[in-house]
Amino acid sequence: MRSAFQKRPPQYPVSWSQFDEGERIRLAIEGVCNDFAPRIFGYHFLRLGELSSEVALPGSPIRHIFNQTQQPHEHSSVVSQSHCLPYSENSIDGVLLANELDFAQDPHQVLREVDRVITQNGYVIISGFNPFSVTGLVSWLPVKRKKVLYEARFFTAGRIKDWLQLLGFEIIEQQHVLFSMLQFKPPMEASRMQNLMQRYLPRSGSVYVILARKRVIPMSTIRPRMKLKPQFSPLGASMRVQAEGRTKK
């Protein structure tokens, strides 16, 4: 597996307001997350990262929803790095990573930590920027390079799913949203084109959201289907016959 570690850490956004269309992105991700959230039950739900902490989850049945950010933030519950989670193993029922992997220096380590702390049959929601979208294609153009969006890693949804499956997660569902450029505010006449792309190119959305569940295969003893019969021993049989003959004499 090709390493995703980056020597130079990307510029880490502290709020959706740093993106040109940040509020539109947040609301789109929030809508999908609230479609997924009612399926996640338990006691503790972690929103990991500054962007995740701004995603509201009113539809979640989990009461204790808390935020971990890398820097002190108005929504912070815990301040710590995403690649080093300060929680015990199998203690978190659900985790949200809203574009957290796009701005992580070592996304593999972040997922390994999530895998360590999540409970058996726990859920993870991951959103990311799609490189096979209009936004992804425009990101290669030498315009507005100083914007925070150009710091994103733009991992494909397939690559994220491969990482999750290697860790033992089952992909439950995937949705795409925002069928327009996120670098600029789309004109009003572009809505028809967006509707056509959503209908005929459903995987061309600028943002994908993945729901995955951790699977733990229980270990059980394997019993043979058929009982083996004891092998016939000619030597033992002849000795028994001889012993019986002596007794009769």
Side-chain angles (χ1 to χ4, degrees):
M1 180 174 62
R2 183 163 54 93
S3 175
F5 177 81
Q6 193 174 56
K7 292 183 179 180
R8 183 186 69 84
Q11 178 187 347
Y12 190 83
V14 297
S15 174
W16 289 108
S17 61
Q18 289 185 257
F19 298 86
D20 289 336
E21 291 295 303
E23 184 64 12
R24 190 160 63 98
I25 300 171
R26 184 189 68 81
L27 289 174
I29 294 174
E30 192 173 275
V32 179
C33 289
N34 278 289
D35 286 341
F36 292 162
R39 312 182 196 184
I40 307 174
F41 296 92
Y43 300 98
H44 310 290
F45 194 110
L46 169 63
R47 291 183 290 205
L48 184 59
E50 277 79 345
L51 299 180
S52 300
S53 69
E54 295 182 357
V55 176
L57 296 173
S60 173
I62 298 180
R63 296 293 184 181
H64 183 219
I65 301 177
F66 65 105
N67 307 321
Q68 178 182 318
T69 59
Q70 298 193 30
Q71 300 294 332
H73 192 272
E74 61 177 328
H75 301 294
S76 299
S77 304
V78 178
V79 178
S80 183
Q81 298 296 315
S82 299
H83 62 269
C84 186
L85 303 182
Y87 314 111
S88 59
E89 296 182 5
N90 303 320
S91 59
I92 308 296
D93 301 287
V95 180
L96 169 63
L97 295 94
N99 294 76
E100 183 71 15
L101 299 181
D102 281 320
F103 299 95
Q105 183 178 16
D106 190 356
H108 289 169
Q109 180 59 27
V110 175
L111 285 180
R112 281 192 290 266
E113 278 292 279
V114 170
D115 175 59
R116 180 183 64 82
V117 303
I118 205 165
T119 59
Q120 296 182 9
N121 294 319
Y123 286 82
V124 60
I125 303 174
I126 299 176
S127 66
F129 294 116
N130 180 15
F132 303 128
S133 64
V134 178
T135 299
L137 296 176
V138 173
S139 67
W140 290 95
L141 300 177
V143 292
K144 290 192 174 185
R145 299 302 302 182
K146 294 183 180 180
K147 296 293 183 178
V148 68
L149 181 60
Y150 288 93
E151 290 288 319
R153 307 287 297 277
F154 279 88
F155 295 115
T156 65
R159 192 174 182 187
I160 299 298
K161 289 189 288 186
D162 285 343
W163 293 346
L164 289 169
Q165 288 169 341
L166 285 173
L167 291 171
F169 284 84
E170 176 190 2
I171 308 303
I172 303 299
E173 191 174 340
Q174 175 183 335
Q175 291 189 27
H176 285 77
V177 293
L178 300 172
F179 294 82
S180 63
M181 289 185 297
L182 302 180
Q183 290 90 342
F184 311 96
K185 187 174 182 179
M188 293 297 294
E189 59 269 17
S191 59
R192 185 168 181 271
M193 179 62 69
Q194 294 171 31
N195 292 334
L196 290 174
M197 292 179 64
Q198 185 174 4
R199 181 176 180 180
Y200 297 106
L201 298 171
R203 294 187 177 273
S204 65
S206 294
V207 176
Y208 55 81
V209 187
I210 298 171
L211 174 67
R213 177 168 52 185
K214 185 175 181 180
R215 286 297 196 187
V216 178
I217 302 175
M219 297 182 65
S220 59
T221 57
I222 300 176
R223 298 179 179 179
R225 295 182 179 179
M226 298 178 63
K227 293 183 178 180
L228 299 177
K229 295 182 179 180
Q231 294 183 353
F232 176 73
S233 175
L235 179 60
S238 62
M239 292 179 65
R240 286 195 297 271
V241 171
Q242 292 179 4
E244 291 176 359
R246 292 175 182 172
T247 304
K248 291 179 181 180
K249 292 178 180 181

